[in-house]
Amino acid sequence: MLVRNLDFLSIPKEFSKVEIDIYDEKSIALVYIENKGYSLVLKDNGEVDAVFLLKTDILPHNVNDHTDREDFINVIKMLLDKIYNVADIKEYEKQHQEHVFLRLMDMLNEGNDIEKINEDNSETYKDIEKGFMKLELDIMDNKINALNSSISDVSNNLDSTVRDIEEKNWGNKLRKTIDQNNWG
């Protein structure tokens, strides 16, 4: 009998979402998925333009010394670059990615303008839920592939080592025979 526990796929039934306007009807929403991570959503005129999942254990109240902080900020920078790429705006008028990151986290931490989204009231919730399940499965696939690759490497190395030992033994026997018969 094969038994599999799928608890790792279950995610909270409600997410916390905050959103800030960036430029010209474009905004970035940050969705906090407790015990899983975050989703960054780029919106254009209220429509979802891009959704990124970030599997991390950063908490909204403790963002300063986390190893994933820079990666998180780089995703925000990528979204900001996408917004500003088509805009004719002066550099000093652009929002800085770290500022956007801290503002979003502060909004979550302080409870300001938090929208609770769930399966019934948000398509974004459904996309994120499916995305996290797919992400978890992809992570498992990657681990399985890495394990299979390691097993294959060990097996190949073992075969090679056995062949080397056999060749040495055969070579030693041949040398011993030559030496014993004074053929050399």
Side-chain angles (χ1 to χ4, degrees):
M1 171 172 47
L2 183 62
V3 177
R4 192 165 272 128
N5 181 357
L6 295 179
D7 285 344
F8 72 95
L9 291 178
S10 64
I11 59 176
K13 297 300 174 201
E14 187 173 72
F15 304 151
S16 298
K17 181 182 102 175
V18 293
E19 188 171 335
I20 57 174
D21 292 327
I22 302 297
Y23 175 79
D24 193 32
E25 300 294 320
K26 292 172 180 62
S27 62
I28 294 178
L30 178 67
V31 180
Y32 176 55
I33 300 98
E34 193 173 341
N35 299 321
K36 293 289 180 187
Y38 296 85
S39 179
L40 280 167
V41 181
L42 176 61
K43 291 184 169 183
D44 188 355
N45 289 322
E47 297 294 317
V48 173
D49 186 25
V51 179
F52 289 87
L53 300 176
L54 296 93
K55 185 167 176 56
T56 179
D57 58 356
I58 292 178
L59 298 174
H61 63 276
N62 189 14
V63 298
N64 292 327
D65 297 322
H66 200 283
T67 56
D68 292 339
R69 176 187 164 106
E70 287 305 313
D71 292 335
F72 203 120
I73 291 171
N74 286 335
V75 175
I76 292 174
K77 181 182 182 334
M78 185 176 60
L79 294 176
L80 290 172
D81 287 347
K82 186 173 181 178
I83 291 170
Y84 294 135
N85 191 29
V86 295
D88 186 23
I89 184 172
K90 295 183 190 240
E91 191 63 35
Y92 63 84
E93 292 178 358
K94 295 178 181 177
Q95 295 188 46
H96 189 269
Q97 59 270 12
E98 190 164 356
H99 173 77
V100 171
F101 169 74
L102 293 172
R103 211 163 95 206
L104 288 166
M105 288 298 184
D106 281 348
M107 290 172 71
L108 280 174
N109 193 38
E110 295 168 0
N112 296 340
D113 301 318
I114 291 180
E115 178 186 349
K116 297 294 187 179
I117 62 172
N118 59 46
E119 188 174 12
D120 297 328
N121 70 4
S122 175
E123 282 298 316
T124 303
Y125 175 92
K126 294 173 189 172
D127 292 340
I128 293 169
E129 181 181 44
K130 290 174 191 168
F132 260 104
M133 282 191 237
K134 175 82 170 94
L135 179 64
E136 294 286 352
L137 291 172
D138 287 347
I139 290 169
M140 280 185 10
D141 281 346
N142 287 342
K143 287 180 180 179
I144 289 169
N145 289 337
L147 181 61
N148 286 338
S149 176
S150 295
I151 290 170
S152 177
D153 289 347
V154 167
S155 177
N156 289 339
N157 288 340
L158 183 59
D159 286 344
S160 176
T161 303
V162 167
R163 266 188 257 116
D164 288 347
I165 291 170
E166 287 173 349
E167 286 175 8
K168 278 184 183 174
N169 285 343
W170 190 82
N172 288 339
K173 287 179 185 175
L174 183 61
R175 204 172 294 115
K176 191 175 184 182
T177 303
I178 292 171
D179 288 346
Q180 285 175 351
N181 294 320
N182 293 323
W183 291 342

